[in-house]
Amino acid sequence: MMNSINSRLRRSIIVGVGILGAAAGSVLPAGAEVPEQSRDLRSFYEQKIGWSPCAFDRDVECASVEVPLDYSHPSGERISVAISRQKAADSKARRGVLFYNPGGPGGSGLTNQYGRSAPKEQFKGTPLNAVYDLIGFDPRGIGQSTPLRCEDLDLPDIKSRPSDKDFDQFATWAKELEKSCDKLDGQRRKHFNTRNTARDMNVIRAVLGERRINYVGYSYGTYLGAVYGSLFPSRLDRSVLDSSVHPDKTGHAYMTSKAEAARRFVEEWAQTTGAWTSR
């Protein structure tokens, strides 16, 4: 079980190193819509894709969409983004597409931890799939999309009561991981960021033939959703941002604030529990 947890955490950290580091800075001002139908990007917006049953769920369709690695030079290297679609059950009541991101950064929006369709499982038993096509996707650098390459270094064991030595080992691992990412993908890492992921979402929207998208995001997914809404405000219909992260706290500041909050809550829990058990 611990090896499974370590493996998932390692993958999340590898991608999170790139995405959170490059995401630093506030969400763009409202109304700062990016011109999207430039001649250089038109081929991406007008590309044709072929759907086929997903290997992980034959009732869900999968496809791959090409996007530019660098949106400022779209004629350069192309990468792929893996997407899935479960069509609305009630075609007469259909009101569009619903994009989904679970957070992380580094979480797959295509499949969940059990290898099943993430949007389908997330909204099972709800009426959402009756009126929306559920759209899942692995953000660039993650899962079945073009990966961000780093060495697969063994993560030190995570202990519930770590010592200073354990912290030193984890810090050493993190530094070595950073070096390996730079060595393997140093020139490409800067393009694996939140704004480019939002731009990828807009390519997916156009390829699906949709004028606007609906969106639900959790944790880091709230930041991604806010960035998409800032870049493309006229392309966003309904948006649900659950467990929002602070838009000005990314990277180290974000992780530090999480650690401080966790410590405070544990101390409050211990105090409350101690008061009850002493009665």
Side-chain angles (χ1 to χ4, degrees):
M1 180 65 174
M2 183 59 73
N3 288 338
S4 176
I5 293 173
N6 284 356
S7 178
R8 292 199 301 271
L9 179 59
R10 176 168 58 248
R11 290 195 299 270
S12 180
I13 291 175
I14 286 173
V15 179
V17 163
I19 293 177
L20 268 181
S26 301
V27 175
L28 295 178
E33 185 155 359
V34 174
E36 55 184 271
Q37 295 296 347
S38 70
R39 182 176 303 172
D40 291 339
L41 290 178
R42 187 166 298 162
S43 63
F44 294 98
Y45 282 94
E46 296 177 351
Q47 66 184 290
K48 305 299 181 182
I49 60 172
W51 295 99
S52 61
C54 299
F56 53 82
D57 190 331
R58 306 296 289 182
D59 294 328
V60 179
E61 298 174 299
C62 280
S64 181
V65 174
E66 285 193 341
V67 296
L69 173 68
D70 180 359
Y71 274 87
S72 64
H73 297 90
S75 61
E77 181 180 351
R78 295 183 172 211
I79 61 175
S80 64
V81 175
I83 65 175
S84 67
R85 177 179 68 178
Q86 185 183 15
K87 290 185 177 180
D90 187 347
S91 58
K92 293 182 179 179
R94 183 184 180 275
R95 59 163 290 123
V97 294
L98 178 64
F99 280 47
Y100 165 78
N101 182 273
S108 169
L110 198 66
T111 62
N112 62 16
Q113 60 182 327
Y114 305 108
R116 303 189 184 103
S117 171
K120 179 180 175 182
E121 294 298 316
Q122 177 68 34
F123 303 120
K124 182 183 292 185
T126 75
L128 289 174
N129 192 210
V131 295
Y132 292 112
D133 291 354
L134 302 182
I135 305 299
F137 67 100
D138 278 345
R140 56 171 59 201
I142 297 169
Q144 296 184 34
S145 296
T146 298
L148 175 64
R149 297 179 302 166
C150 298
E151 291 180 4
D152 192 13
L153 305 178
D154 290 334
L155 182 68
D157 289 337
I158 301 173
K159 300 177 181 178
S160 59
R161 295 178 180 274
S163 65
D164 290 343
K165 181 180 179 181
D166 295 319
F167 278 117
D168 290 340
Q169 289 179 341
F170 195 90
T172 299
W173 172 85
K175 291 176 181 178
E176 291 302 315
L177 177 62
E178 180 77 12
K179 290 179 182 178
S180 78
C181 296
D182 265 339
K183 180 174 68 176
L184 294 180
D185 252 344
Q187 297 301 313
R188 301 166 81 243
R189 285 182 71 191
K190 61 184 179 182
H191 302 297
F192 290 81
N193 58 51
T194 302
R195 293 188 182 188
N196 280 345
T197 299
R199 294 178 178 114
D200 294 344
M201 289 169 56
N202 205 48
V203 171
I204 297 170
R205 173 203 60 75
V207 169
L208 294 175
E210 299 291 332
R211 189 170 67 87
R212 294 190 294 179
I213 71 167
N214 300 275
Y215 178 83
V216 59
Y218 302 88
S219 189
Y220 162 78
T222 66
Y223 184 85
L224 174 59
V227 170
Y228 181 85
S230 296
L231 286 171
F232 308 102
S234 68
R235 296 301 186 181
L236 185 62
D237 188 4
R238 297 179 177 183
S239 181
V240 175
L241 306 181
D242 189 322
S243 308
S244 297
V245 299
H246 196 296
D248 291 330
K249 288 185 177 180
T250 56
H252 184 267
Y254 169 67
M255 294 299 182
T256 299
S257 66
K258 285 182 60 176
E260 292 172 345
R263 183 185 182 98
R264 183 172 68 253
F265 293 148
V266 168
E267 291 173 346
E268 292 176 359
W269 168 83
Q271 185 177 8
T272 302
T273 303
W276 274 99
T277 56
S278 64
R279 293 183 178 182

